[in-house]
Amino acid sequence: MRQFISVWLMTLLVGTVAIGSGESATAADDYDYDLVHSSVSFKARHLGISWIHGRFNDVAGKFSLDREDPSKSTFELTIKVDSVDTANKARDEHLRQPDYFDTKQYPTIEFKSTSTKVIKGGFEVTGDFTMHGTTKKVTLVLMGGKEHDFKKVKRVAFSTELSLKRSDFGFDKNAIGPIGDEALIIIDCEGVRNS
Amino acid sequence: MPDPLLYLKAMGAAGIVSMTFVPAMVRARPRAGRTWLNSVCVIGFGLGLAAGCCVLSLRLRWPPANGLDRLLMIVVPAVLGIEFIAGIQRVPQWAAWLLRLTLAATIPAILLHGSIYLSGHDDEWPLWRAGVVMAVCSALLAGVWSLLAWLSRRSAGVSMSLTLCLATQCAGLTVMMAGYIGGGTAAFPLVGALIATSIGARLTLPFVGVPTSFVAPAIPGIGVVGLFGLIFIGCFFGRLPTGSAVVMLLAPLLCWISEAPQLRHQKGWLIGMLRLVLVAIPLVAVVVVAKHDFDRGMAPLLEAEHE
């Protein structure tokens, strides 16, 4: 009888834990970065008078949106620097060299959120931004976040811009030259909910 | 952006420091012998290189952040330390060569540390492939190092140092023209320090009772490791073609042709000239090809950036 009660109590405990964890899993929706409908582009000043535009073609990421407790939402993005594309092959090759991105040493640019809060029209996400081997805390203002069902697949999109100085991330000042130190990264990200 | 005047200043600064230090220290202890001469060459080279890097304002960081940092802050100091120890006459030759070969075996791993080649996550570079490539590179380095060290003992002279300087300078230019400007610039202080150390030591030999044919054993080692390191980072982190890299690394071995029976008893200056010409031929060919590629790919880009 005592053994039966212990087994019954154990079953009840395990069941409660399983239901509890199941509830927390369903509270947040997990999304994968949709490469087809997203873009990570950048622009940098040329001679201080115009802008050079480029983009990264190979990006991956995921985010988890918790509508009940948005502070538990998380965002991650990984950019393969080798995929840099400025519509000029010679310049792209030059940008991959150690004088600039040093893609053999630092193959990725990464962002990983550490805190999230809701703002009007989106989220303010603070996290670790790693580029060229240097990690700095940055805050992204993600605008958007509305859900859209398309062919029974839930999608969410965000847009943000990040201004940074290349010299803050260990880029050689001697190599900055006519291309300005400051660069603007523009992220338009559409996420597809994991089924 | 490339600044030829700055590069010449860096080379000049490295040369002046080494050329001042080596003769001054050698003449300070005229009876000290070969160990002192070798030690002075090692320190003189190191000081000259440091001065040249200061003029270039090379951004070296600790811990080293890239291949060039690791070359200048780990590999070059390591070879200087080893050659300093190896030059002490009480140190047996087998122990000196054990140290040199250990360094030769580890240099590729040091230079590739933290890169995609050793991460194991890159599809093009599984660990076994990286291991094989590093082993081949180490074997090449050890081979060139030992053959040139043997040649310098067998038939010494300042010409071998000059051929190493020529190869290093051509490697620097080729690396720069392949798009890795920062890596190639390191050649200028390396060459300035090596050439001044070699000539400075040669000029003081008559005053210290050492045969004028003597070459400090440190010089071939430092020259070969500097040349190898520059080519290696240009090849693996820049876009230096493998064929050009191999030709430039092996070119100094052409000095061995002067050991042919018909040539080896010729006058010293003739042997020296022959060596320089023989080594220069493949190096010039590599530089010409690199310039051609540069004119097609990079030059229009740099011109557009300057407009």
Side-chain angles (χ1 to χ4, degrees):
Chain A
M1 183 63 184
R2 188 179 293 169
Q3 198 176 3
F4 172 76
I5 290 171
S6 334
V7 170
W8 186 81
L9 281 173
M10 187 60 79
T11 308
L12 186 69
L13 183 67
V14 169
T16 307
V17 169
I19 290 166
S21 60
E23 274 179 358
S24 68
T26 52
D29 291 335
D30 294 328
Y31 295 85
D32 283 330
Y33 181 91
D34 179 8
L35 189 59
V36 179
H37 301 103
S38 306
S39 79
V40 176
S41 55
F42 60 88
K43 60 180 186 176
R45 281 277 187 198
H46 181 234
L47 299 172
I49 55 171
S50 65
W51 294 95
I52 292 175
H53 292 253
R55 56 174 287 148
F56 294 102
N57 293 325
D58 192 348
V59 182
K62 58 184 179 181
F63 51 93
S64 172
L65 284 182
D66 192 327
R67 300 285 181 187
E68 290 171 11
D69 185 358
S71 66
K72 288 183 180 169
S73 299
T74 59
F75 298 83
E76 286 178 34
L77 195 69
T78 303
I79 300 164
K80 286 208 173 167
V81 191
D82 236 3
S83 69
V84 65
D85 180 358
T86 63
N88 182 307
K89 202 175 171 187
R91 181 166 57 205
D92 296 344
E93 286 296 345
H94 197 205
L95 288 173
R96 293 182 185 110
Q97 301 265 332
D99 291 332
Y100 290 92
F101 283 115
D102 199 357
T103 59
K104 302 293 184 195
Q105 188 73 51
Y106 307 114
T108 56
I109 296 171
E110 292 173 17
F111 175 78
K112 194 168 188 179
S113 68
T114 52
S115 71
T116 305
K117 69 176 182 183
V118 179
I119 57 169
K120 191 181 175 187
F123 296 90
E124 188 178 278
V125 182
T126 302
D128 296 323
F129 183 81
T130 305
M131 181 167 75
H132 204 251
T134 303
T135 301
K136 287 195 178 293
K137 218 45 137 190
V138 300
T139 298
L140 300 177
V141 177
L142 298 182
M143 300 309 291
K146 281 186 184 172
E147 288 178 355
H148 187 89
D149 272 317
F150 182 65
K151 292 184 179 176
K152 295 182 182 175
V153 178
K154 196 186 272 184
R155 290 170 176 269
V156 169
F158 293 102
S159 295
T160 188
E161 292 186 358
L162 171 66
S163 176
L164 48 84
K165 283 188 174 179
R166 293 188 286 149
S167 55
D168 289 343
F169 288 86
F171 284 83
D172 186 357
K173 281 183 180 167
N174 294 332
I176 285 172
I179 308 296
D181 188 14
E182 198 165 338
L184 191 70
I185 297 179
I186 304 126
I187 302 171
D188 287 302
C189 163
E190 189 169 308
V192 184
R193 188 180 169 183
N194 286 335
S195 52
Chain B
M1 288 301 107
D3 184 352
L5 189 62
L6 179 68
Y7 304 150
L8 291 177
K9 280 182 190 170
M11 186 185 252
I16 289 166
V17 170
S18 298
M19 186 66 101
T20 308
F21 180 85
V22 173
M25 296 307 286
V26 170
R27 295 190 74 170
R29 292 181 64 188
R31 305 222 173 270
R34 295 178 183 210
T35 300
W36 176 249
L37 184 64
N38 190 67
S39 308
V40 164
C41 285
V42 169
I43 298 168
F45 174 85
L47 292 174
L49 180 62
C53 289
C54 283
V55 172
L56 278 180
S57 305
L58 282 178
R59 288 182 69 255
L60 301 178
R61 288 166 284 180
W62 191 266
N66 56 39
L68 182 61
D69 285 357
R70 290 188 288 274
L71 171 64
L72 294 175
M73 298 174 79
I74 299 177
V75 172
V76 171
V79 72
L80 292 181
I82 285 173
E83 289 300 344
F84 188 92
I85 295 166
I88 298 169
Q89 285 191 323
R90 274 179 294 177
V91 174
Q93 277 300 301
W94 65 264
W97 274 104
L98 186 64
L99 287 171
R100 288 177 180 135
L101 293 177
T102 305
L103 181 65
T106 54
I107 284 175
I110 293 170
L111 294 177
L112 294 181
H113 175 76
S115 68
I116 62 160
Y117 301 105
L118 300 185
S119 69
H121 301 309
D122 193 273
D123 294 339
E124 281 184 36
W125 285 93
L127 282 175
W128 68 265
R129 187 178 172 199
V132 169
V133 169
M134 286 195 300
V136 170
C137 290
S138 293
L140 270 174
L141 171 59
V144 173
W145 193 346
S146 52
L147 281 169
L148 288 182
W150 182 17
L151 180 61
S152 78
R153 280 201 309 275
R154 196 179 141 102
S155 169
V158 78
S159 62
M160 208 183 62
S161 307
L162 297 181
T163 60
L164 279 169
C165 291
L166 186 63
T168 307
Q169 193 56 68
C170 288
L173 290 174
T174 311
V175 168
M176 288 173 85
M177 285 191 282
Y180 185 4
I181 295 167
T185 56
F188 290 88
L190 274 170
V191 168
L194 190 63
I195 207 164
T197 303
S198 307
I199 294 173
R202 172 69 183 79
L203 292 177
T204 49
L205 287 176
F207 303 102
V208 293
V210 173
T212 52
S213 61
F214 175 76
V215 170
I219 287 176
I222 294 168
V224 170
V225 170
L227 171 65
F228 175 85
L230 203 61
I231 289 171
F232 192 87
I233 60 169
C235 198
F236 283 88
F237 294 102
R239 292 184 62 238
L240 180 65
T242 309
S244 302
V246 172
V247 168
M248 287 189 291
L249 181 64
L250 299 182
L253 293 180
L254 291 172
C255 289
W256 269 95
I257 292 177
S258 66
E259 289 300 287
Q262 301 89 333
L263 299 171
R264 64 178 303 184
H265 299 298
Q266 297 291 331
K267 288 177 181 171
W269 67 268
L270 198 60
I271 296 278
M273 287 299 292
L274 180 69
R275 285 177 175 179
L276 277 170
V277 170
L278 286 170
V279 172
I281 290 168
L283 292 175
V284 168
V286 167
V287 172
V288 167
V289 171
K291 176 76 169 60
H292 181 252
D293 292 345
F294 173 79
D295 288 341
R296 271 192 319 179
M298 292 283 297
L301 177 66
L302 291 176
E303 282 166 15
E305 303 244 320
H306 278 295
E307 280 171 3

